[in-house]
């Protein structure tokens, strides 16, 4: 098995080292990741300046590693197109420092890097460890290796991305794994307004998560109950239930006087 490993916390983050280390036990790993943190970069790609690549040595890791001055999606695109000698069997991203749950997946560089893998036809998975004072990525790394084994055994198309979130509690408190769906993650008081020394207002993104009661099969609820959440995702955002309505409403045969 050949893995391309990326993230959005940057190539020097502890989570990517643990993910890469776990996967070297299953096959060949190449790390291609941003040279600095690019969390919340979403699916951005770099168009207006050149991408530079530096090969580096990650501590204690027996794998090639490339630091790129781009976004997570850039890293996967460039990695598959240019840097890896052969096409990878899997793109695995993370282990992210903090959750990537529900609608937050749309902001996540870690999830977007995995989506980029899917778009390029490579089976992909994203891994996130819930935030906390202590971050121990070793158990999450083992979960990633198990997911890789399952993905290689099952009939599994590259059109589906696997999004895995792992609770940040001692292993004994984890109740198991739940297959979940995305919910809507809402925040309140999103911005703190302050004044700069010249008297002009500026805004700093903060935000408190609104806790709602949720269906049991929503990813956030599984995490709240100390389950590992595993969600199949798809990058096709088409609203299939509306296709027929749009046709019936006459969008296809009206020109609205243009
Ligand atoms: Mn991150």
């Amino acid at each position: 098995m050949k893995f391309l490993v990326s993230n959005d916390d940057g190539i020097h983050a502890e989570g990517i080292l643990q993910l890469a280390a776990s996967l070297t036990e299953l096959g060949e790993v190449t790390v291609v990741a941003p040279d600095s943190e690019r969390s919340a970069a979403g699916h951005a790609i770099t168009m207006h300046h050149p991408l530079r690549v530096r090969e580096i040595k990650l501590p204690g890791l027996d794998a090639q590693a490339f630091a790129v001055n781009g976004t997570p999606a850039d890293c996967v695109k460039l990695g598959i197109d240019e840097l890896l000698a052969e096409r990878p069997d899997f793109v695995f991203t993370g282990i992210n420092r903090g959750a990537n749950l529900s609608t937050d997946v749309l902001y996540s560089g870690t999830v977007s890097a995995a989506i980029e893998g899917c778009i390029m036809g490579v089976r992909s998975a994203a891994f996130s460890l819930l935030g906390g004072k202590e971050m121990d990525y070793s158990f999450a790394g083992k979960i990633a290796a198990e997911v890789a084994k399952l993905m290689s055994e099952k009939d599994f198309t590259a059109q589906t991305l696997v999004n895995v979130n792992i609770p940040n509690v001692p292993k004994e408190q984890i109740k198991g794994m739940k297959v979940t769906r995305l919910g809507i993650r809402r925040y309140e008081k999103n911005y703190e307004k302050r004044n700069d020394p010249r008297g002009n207002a500026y805004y700093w993104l903060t935000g408190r998560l609104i806790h709602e009661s949720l269906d049991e099969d929503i990813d956030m609820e599984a995490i709240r109950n100390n389950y590992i959440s595993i969600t199949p995702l798809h990058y096709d955002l088409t609203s299939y239930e509306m296709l027929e309505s749009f046709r019936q409403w006459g969008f296809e045969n009206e020109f609205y006087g243009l």
Side-chain angles (χ1 to χ4, degrees):
M1 280 192 252
K2 286 187 289 292
F3 295 92
L4 187 163
V5 170
S6 194
N7 74 347
D8 73 5
D9 296 335
I11 198 160
H12 299 292
E14 208 186 319
I16 197 170
L17 192 61
Q18 190 65 60
L19 177 61
S22 284
L23 297 175
T24 51
E25 289 169 27
L26 300 177
E28 190 188 320
V29 171
T30 309
V31 176
V32 186
D35 58 5
S36 62
E37 178 163 356
R38 304 301 295 264
S39 289
H43 210 111
I45 52 170
T46 303
M47 295 181 73
H48 301 296
H49 65 78
L51 291 173
R52 307 269 178 196
V53 180
R54 200 162 35 94
E55 188 166 357
I56 63 167
K57 174 87 188 85
L58 287 177
L61 186 72
D62 182 22
Q64 258 197 314
F66 299 97
V68 179
N69 67 336
T71 65
D74 285 331
C75 291
V76 172
K77 268 175 104 67
L78 189 69
I80 294 174
D81 269 355
E82 297 285 338
L83 304 176
L84 271 66
E86 283 175 88
R87 199 176 161 76
D89 301 302
F90 297 101
V91 169
F92 270 35
T93 65
I95 300 161
N96 189 62
R97 185 186 179 89
N100 278 312
L101 293 162
S102 293
T103 33
D104 278 357
V105 299
L106 295 168
Y107 306 111
S108 166
T110 299
V111 173
S112 294
I115 290 174
E116 189 59 38
C118 290
I119 293 171
M120 296 185 80
V122 179
R123 290 177 287 173
S124 301
F127 298 86
S128 305
L129 177 64
L130 274 276
K133 272 196 194 126
E134 303 281 322
M135 298 296 286
D136 179 357
Y137 295 92
S138 54
F139 177 66
K142 287 184 186 142
I143 296 293
E146 292 304 314
V147 170
K149 283 184 210 159
L150 206 69
M151 284 170 75
S152 66
E153 286 162 10
K154 304 291 173 195
D155 183 23
F156 187 84
T157 74
Q159 277 143 37
T160 303
L161 151 81
V162 181
N163 188 41
V164 181
N165 279 273
I166 296 129
N168 190 350
V169 295
K171 202 173 79 184
E172 311 74 62
Q173 289 174 31
I174 291 183
K175 290 201 194 120
M177 206 148 179
K178 259 202 165 52
V179 175
T180 58
R181 62 189 174 94
L182 296 185
I184 301 176
R185 210 155 152 88
R186 290 194 181 88
Y187 297 86
E188 62 180 357
K189 302 224 183 301
N190 277 311
Y191 293 95
E192 189 168 316
K193 185 181 177 186
R194 298 180 188 174
N195 284 318
D196 72 16
R198 297 195 177 101
N200 300 313
Y202 65 95
Y203 300 85
W204 202 301
L205 182 66
T206 78
R208 271 200 304 268
L209 185 65
I210 301 170
H211 287 284
E212 302 168 76
S213 59
L214 300 166
D215 290 344
E216 243 181 38
D217 62 342
I218 300 251
D219 55 0
M220 287 181 281
E221 192 60 23
I223 283 289
R224 186 158 33 196
N225 294 320
N226 284 348
Y227 283 92
I228 297 164
S229 162
I230 180 162
T231 314
L233 296 182
H234 202 292
Y235 49 78
D236 181 352
L237 299 177
T238 309
S239 172
Y240 285 94
E241 58 192 8
M242 290 306 288
L243 279 177
E244 203 40 50
S245 300
F246 272 44
R247 288 185 186 116
Q248 280 169 15
W249 293 347
F251 280 118
E252 290 181 335
N253 39 33
E254 298 278 346
F255 288 91
Y256 301 101
L258 290 176

